[in-house]
Amino acid sequence: MKLTSGKLRYLLTIVSLEKNLKRVRCIDVAVQLGISRASVCKMLSSLCKEGLLEQSADKSLHITALGHELAQQYEQQYRQLFPIFCQMGLSDFDAQECSMALLSQLPEQTLKNICACFQVDNFPLVSA
């Protein structure tokens, strides 16, 4: 499944928030991304319809097994692409934007080939 750069950003942001919060809510995502709560709620609804997220009765968000699988794949590739753009002198924000754009636009095999050329670990995932 291929995600748009926007959906990818949301998914990876929620993964990151899950590591630090007991409960991830719409407002947490909005604050992290600096986007209005209404816009976030609309995107989260779309991710739920695609089977990547579930929302509990208490309105907390949970990534589904499919969502985790997809996020893990994208996160690995992101961690390889992000430092390349940083080494080019781009700001963290611009490096993140370029990484997301590539991840959402390039065919899977092309991404695998590019990432195979660059084996870099331990770089930050989605910064606000």
Side-chain angles (χ1 to χ4, degrees):
M1 172 186 286
K2 202 69 167 167
L3 298 178
T4 65
S5 60
K7 288 180 180 180
L8 177 57
R9 182 175 294 105
Y10 277 81
L11 186 64
L12 294 181
T13 296
I14 295 165
V15 167
S16 179
L17 288 170
E18 276 189 340
K19 293 175 184 175
N20 299 314
L21 301 174
K22 289 183 180 182
R23 236 179 74 173
V24 178
R25 300 164 300 144
C26 178
I27 190 67
D28 301 317
V29 178
V31 168
Q32 183 71 25
L33 292 175
I35 299 173
S36 75
R37 188 169 178 251
S39 294
V40 170
C41 288
K42 185 176 180 180
M43 178 64 83
L44 295 178
S45 175
S46 177
L47 292 171
C48 285
K49 287 178 186 172
E50 292 182 30
L52 302 174
L53 285 180
E54 293 175 340
Q55 194 168 27
S56 298
D58 69 354
K59 302 294 184 185
S60 62
L61 302 165
H62 306 280
I63 298 178
T64 64
L66 174 61
H68 275 292
E69 182 181 321
L70 203 53
Q72 185 178 18
Q73 171 193 327
Y74 277 116
E75 183 178 13
Q76 181 182 10
Q77 293 170 336
Y78 176 87
R79 289 181 186 279
Q80 291 172 314
L81 294 172
F82 179 81
I84 295 165
F85 290 111
C86 289
Q87 290 171 3
M88 292 177 179
L90 296 179
S91 68
D92 283 355
F93 177 81
D94 288 339
Q96 177 183 319
E97 291 297 305
C98 289
S99 299
M100 295 289 180
L102 281 180
L103 289 171
S104 65
Q105 296 298 317
L106 291 179
E108 185 60 32
Q109 190 56 52
T110 302
L111 278 172
K112 286 180 181 178
N113 292 344
I114 290 172
C115 290
C117 295
F118 304 98
Q119 297 297 324
V120 181
D121 293 322
N122 299 321
F123 282 87
L125 178 66
V126 184
S127 56

